[in-house]
Amino acid sequence: HMFIMGYAYHYSGSSQAGPNDPLYGGDPWSKYALDWSVEDYTNPSYGAPADKIILGLPLYGFRWSVSSNTIPATATSTGSSIFYAEALAEAQTHGDLWESNSETPYWYDGSRQGWYSNEESIELRIQYAQSESLGGIGFWALHYDDGDSDLWNMIHEETTDEVIDPGDDDDDDDDDDDGPDYSDDYQADA
């Protein structure tokens, strides 16, 4: 299998703030995005069979000081990485915005833009990987999400044929009855 690192399309040194893992390229972004990479890696002339490709997705993003809240915004500083859980908290504080061309969330706090992944954007990427008959998905890095059970439940639902009974709580150390919690199943060993 081949693992495509489907991230860092925009990175700390980028001159513009933008999506770490744009699902689609094109205006206002370049052509380089997850769809372009998958097409390139599966090109019949020189690529691998789709079922041998694992699409790597980030559980982190970047934030940059920017000149304005335009899309794309000119970065006025080197960007810094931000883990999934922290990015969601920032979005909750500053407002969760959505860039529809790349299918990516971001936030703006008056002087910085933060681009990251959330449950919705990851779900769209999983569905894309399935529609392209890829061999699977992977993440960099497990634990950046702080054990977000909603995220891992969605991943489980999107990547298995198992029917989940919403009243079946298989997590013995959780007293609420909001359904199964698969987050422990996907955590890296400490």
Side-chain angles (χ1 to χ4, degrees):
H1 286 87
M2 181 183 299
F3 189 92
I4 298 176
M5 295 187 299
Y7 36 90
Y9 291 88
H10 286 86
Y11 58 96
S12 61
S14 295
S15 62
Q16 297 176 329
N20 187 19
D21 65 332
L23 183 51
Y24 303 108
D27 191 38
W29 314 109
S30 76
K31 68 179 181 179
Y32 301 111
L34 294 173
D35 69 326
W36 181 90
S37 294
V38 167
E39 184 178 317
D40 189 52
Y41 278 92
T42 58
N43 183 305
S45 299
Y46 55 81
D51 66 348
K52 299 298 182 191
I53 301 288
I54 307 297
L55 181 59
L57 300 173
L59 292 178
Y60 73 96
F62 290 98
R63 61 182 156 214
W64 294 266
S65 293
V66 293
S67 57
S68 68
N69 192 29
T70 59
I71 303 295
T74 300
T76 59
S77 69
T78 300
S80 60
S81 60
I82 183 169
F83 290 169
Y84 179 91
E86 183 183 357
L88 293 182
E90 290 279 351
Q92 194 165 25
T93 299
H94 304 298
D96 194 14
L97 305 171
W98 187 260
E99 200 288 307
S100 59
N101 292 334
S102 65
E103 301 284 4
T104 308
Y106 71 100
W107 51 260
Y108 179 66
D109 70 2
S111 63
R112 296 178 304 163
Q113 277 185 352
W115 291 78
Y116 59 99
S117 299
N118 66 10
E119 188 177 330
E120 179 182 358
S121 68
I122 292 171
E123 183 174 18
L124 290 171
R125 284 144 179 80
I126 291 170
Q127 291 168 352
Y128 171 78
Q130 292 169 331
S131 75
E132 295 296 315
S133 301
L134 299 184
I137 57 164
F139 293 97
W140 185 263
L142 295 180
H143 83 273
Y144 287 180
D145 63 288
D146 281 347
D148 185 322
S149 62
D150 290 337
L151 172 66
W152 290 105
N153 287 334
M154 177 278 295
I155 293 167
H156 181 83
E157 290 172 10
E158 289 293 323
T159 59
T160 66
D161 292 329
E162 178 181 336
V163 176
I164 299 173
D165 178 355
D168 178 25
D169 187 354
D170 71 350
D171 186 0
D172 293 334
D173 44 294
D174 182 10
D175 292 331
D176 62 11
D177 194 22
D178 61 356
D181 178 358
Y182 296 101
S183 60
D184 292 339
D185 298 337
Y186 298 95
Q187 295 304 307
D189 293 331

